[in-house]
Amino acid sequence: MKKQQAIIDTPLGSAILEGCEKGVSGFRLTGKHAKPTSLPSCLEEAARQIHEYFRGERKTFTLNLNPEGTPFQQSVWQALTEIPFGSTLSYSHLSRSLGNMKAIRAVASANGRNPIWIIIPCHRVIGSDGSLTGYAGGLQVKQWLLEHEQPVKQQRLF
């Protein structure tokens, strides 16, 4: 099946959504402003759920996913989908949950190659010390996403 694409607006800028009837295969920020395009029918539900997420109306995605990657990458990406909304875990915890504590670097590499940002929530993985370590979209984007998912928003006094 041929992949189709659409550009959608998000609070973080323009993003490219990709997929086919088998499921979503890509979602990433473009890094620049681009005019939204019409949505192929196979991407309409994904776009709807993404917009609901950004409006704070959705905490989980119920989409068919079809990312391309090695079996190891697939296993890491599947584990990422199990991190609850509003939660984080460390790379070492993720490695341990996959049964190989020594695979931290490989897990981090697979995390960084996640082609379906936000839907496969790689932004929820942080350093063991709680630091916001690497994120392909930039640490500001990662911080924004984690703050967006916080159940209690801190009120600003000034």
Side-chain angles (χ1 to χ4, degrees):
M1 298 191 151
K2 185 179 178 209
K3 282 188 201 177
Q4 297 187 52
Q5 287 188 343
I7 295 175
I8 63 171
D9 280 331
T10 77
L12 298 169
S14 299
I16 298 173
L17 180 61
E18 296 177 311
C20 64
E21 297 303 325
K22 287 184 176 183
V24 176
S25 58
F27 182 61
R28 66 190 180 284
L29 296 174
T30 65
K32 58 186 175 186
H33 179 70
K35 183 179 177 184
T37 60
S38 62
L39 283 168
S41 61
C42 64
L43 298 176
E44 287 176 352
E45 180 61 18
R48 184 181 70 76
Q49 290 188 30
I50 290 165
H51 290 304
E52 289 173 351
Y53 168 85
F54 281 117
R55 288 192 307 261
E57 300 168 358
R58 176 172 290 278
K59 294 182 179 182
T60 60
F61 292 93
T62 56
L63 299 167
N64 290 329
L65 302 180
N66 190 30
E68 294 177 12
T70 67
F72 179 77
Q73 289 170 332
Q74 298 279 346
S75 69
V76 172
W77 299 336
Q78 177 58 45
L80 293 173
T81 65
E82 297 167 14
I83 305 170
F85 181 93
S87 299
T88 58
L89 57 83
S90 69
Y91 290 99
S92 61
H93 185 271
L94 185 56
S95 295
R96 197 169 28 256
S97 73
L98 290 166
N100 187 348
M101 187 58 192
K102 294 180 180 179
I104 292 174
R105 289 188 179 165
V107 166
S109 177
N111 192 51
R113 287 185 170 80
N114 171 18
I116 309 177
W117 293 7
I118 301 167
I119 298 169
I120 296 177
C122 54
H123 60 279
R124 296 179 187 155
V125 182
I126 60 174
S128 295
D129 62 358
S131 63
L132 298 186
T133 58
Y135 188 65
L139 292 182
Q140 290 175 321
V141 170
K142 184 173 189 164
Q143 182 172 354
W144 189 97
L145 291 167
L146 292 174
E147 288 175 0
H148 174 70
E149 293 185 3
Q150 291 306 304
V152 177
K153 305 285 188 219
Q154 177 67 37
Q155 296 294 318
R156 295 180 188 234
L157 298 175
F158 304 99

